[in-house]
């Protein structure tokens, strides 16, 4: 005669079965969640562009992120183009998803202070605070301190350069400025950039205005038709010695 299993053994077997099903379901749920939310990794761009031999241009955007940044990022992603973003610290905290998107896309991220003041009117400790506090705010989102700094209004002096150098950042200016903060017309912005761009150019734009992102698709298309490679600011200088903290840069190398 076959012995009947005890009630305790039967209950234990039932619990084991339920646990097994639960673990299996959890594994399925976790795998699905992982597929929806991939690990936080930065894409690798293995091919270094030699901007001493290739026509390069760096599109840069100040004052973001804002409500217009997402549309701009969509354009860059669809065009497989990279850019450099100079972020205001509190904006980075308010629009974390856009900052993470910039980072994951491989765009370069720089510091553009906390409150966007005229730094040349401030004392050295206050300049340092504007740079350092914004750097910490940006790093709290990306996990990395920025090594690029752009002074608001392009206003810099010895104090600003010293503070940037102390913070470990290069001062990145520009040599092409369509003044999109004044001319809210995508066609005008395109014409102004394309009339002035040269190999090694750093273009100053803003993602705080609704009229700037619509100018970017045509700008990318025409620049590429002219033989330009769109790069980040660090890529622009990668093969010519790189960027040094405390040094001011207005443009990169060209062929």
């Amino acid at each position: 005669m076959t012995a009947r299993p005890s009630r305790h053994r039967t209950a234990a077997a039932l619990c084991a079965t339920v646990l097994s099903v639960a673990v299996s379901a959890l594994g399925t749920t976790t795998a699905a969640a992982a597929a929806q939310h991939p690990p936080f990794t930065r894409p690798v761009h293995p091919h270094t562009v030699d901007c001493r031999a290739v026509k390069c241009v760096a599109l840069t955007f100040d004052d973001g992120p804002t409500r217009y940044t997402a549309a701009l990022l969509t354009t860059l992603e669809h065009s497989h183009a990279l850019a450099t973003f100079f972020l205001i610290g509190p904006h980075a905290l308010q629009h974390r998803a856009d900052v993470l998107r910039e980072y994951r896309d491989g765009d370069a991220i720089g510091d553009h202070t906390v409150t966007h003041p005229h730094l040349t009117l401030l004392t050295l400790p206050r300049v340092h605070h504007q740079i350092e506090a914004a750097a910490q705010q940006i790093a709290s989102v990306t996990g990395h301190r920025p090594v690029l700094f752009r002074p608001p209004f392009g206003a810099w002096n010895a104090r600003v350069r010293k503070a940037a150098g102390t913070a470990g950042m290069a001062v990145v200016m520009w040599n092409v400025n369509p003044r999109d903060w004044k001319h809210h017309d995508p066609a005008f912005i395109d014409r102004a950039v394309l009339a002035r761009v040269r190999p090694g150019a750093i273009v100053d734009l803003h993602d705080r205005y609704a009229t700037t992102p619509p100018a970017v698709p045509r700008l990318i298309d025409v620049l590429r038709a002219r033989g330009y490679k769109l790069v980040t600011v660090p890529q622009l200088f990668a093969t010519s010695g790189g960027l040094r903290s405390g040094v001011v840069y207005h443009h990169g190398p060209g062929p």
Side-chain angles (χ1 to χ4, degrees):
M1 184 173 63
T2 304
R4 292 180 62 185
S6 70
R7 182 166 50 184
H8 295 295
R9 288 176 59 193
T10 302
L14 178 61
C15 289
T17 301
V18 171
L19 180 61
S20 176
V21 171
V23 169
S24 177
L26 178 60
T28 303
T29 302
T30 303
Q36 294 175 3
H37 303 284
F40 181 65
T41 55
R42 187 176 178 83
V44 177
H45 300 282
H47 303 295
T48 299
V49 181
D50 187 351
C51 294
R52 299 168 301 176
V54 177
K55 292 165 59 176
C56 294
V57 59
L59 300 182
T60 69
F61 298 88
D62 297 352
D63 299 351
T66 71
R67 56 180 173 161
Y68 307 117
T69 302
L72 173 60
L73 291 175
T74 296
T75 293
L76 293 172
E77 289 164 358
H78 287 173
S79 301
H80 302 287
L82 297 175
T84 302
F85 292 87
F86 291 94
L87 311 185
I88 293 176
H91 291 188
L93 299 180
Q94 294 167 9
H95 300 273
R96 298 173 68 92
D98 291 326
V99 178
L100 293 176
R101 192 173 167 189
E102 292 167 358
Y103 186 85
R104 289 187 176 113
D105 286 349
D107 298 314
I109 295 176
D111 185 320
H112 201 44
T113 74
V114 176
T115 62
H116 203 275
H118 280 86
L119 294 178
T120 56
L121 304 178
L122 304 183
T123 62
L124 180 58
R126 291 180 65 192
V127 172
H128 181 74
H129 169 74
Q130 284 284 334
I131 298 174
E132 185 59 31
Q136 293 178 10
Q137 291 167 333
I138 295 167
S140 74
V141 180
T142 66
H144 298 272
R145 281 177 58 88
V147 296
L148 309 175
F149 173 68
R150 173 165 288 165
F153 310 103
W156 66 274
N157 56 15
R159 288 194 303 277
V160 174
R161 191 159 61 93
K162 181 177 180 180
T166 300
M169 300 181 195
V171 180
V172 180
M173 299 294 291
W174 60 82
N175 65 337
V176 177
N177 182 6
R179 300 201 293 176
D180 59 338
W181 49 267
K182 179 178 180 180
H183 302 286
H184 301 290
D185 177 358
F188 179 93
I189 295 168
D190 285 339
R191 289 195 302 270
V193 171
L194 295 171
R196 296 172 175 81
V197 71
R198 299 291 184 275
I202 300 175
V203 182
D204 181 38
L205 297 161
H206 300 77
D207 52 331
R208 69 178 299 176
Y209 303 111
T211 47
T212 296
V216 175
R218 180 174 182 271
L219 197 55
I220 292 174
D221 289 344
V222 176
L223 286 170
R224 282 180 168 164
R226 293 183 181 182
Y228 281 93
K229 177 77 173 179
L230 276 72
V231 297
T232 65
V233 168
Q235 286 178 320
L236 184 61
F237 294 90
T239 56
S240 58
L243 295 159
R244 292 183 293 163
S245 59
V247 177
V248 181
Y249 298 87
H250 289 85
H251 61 83

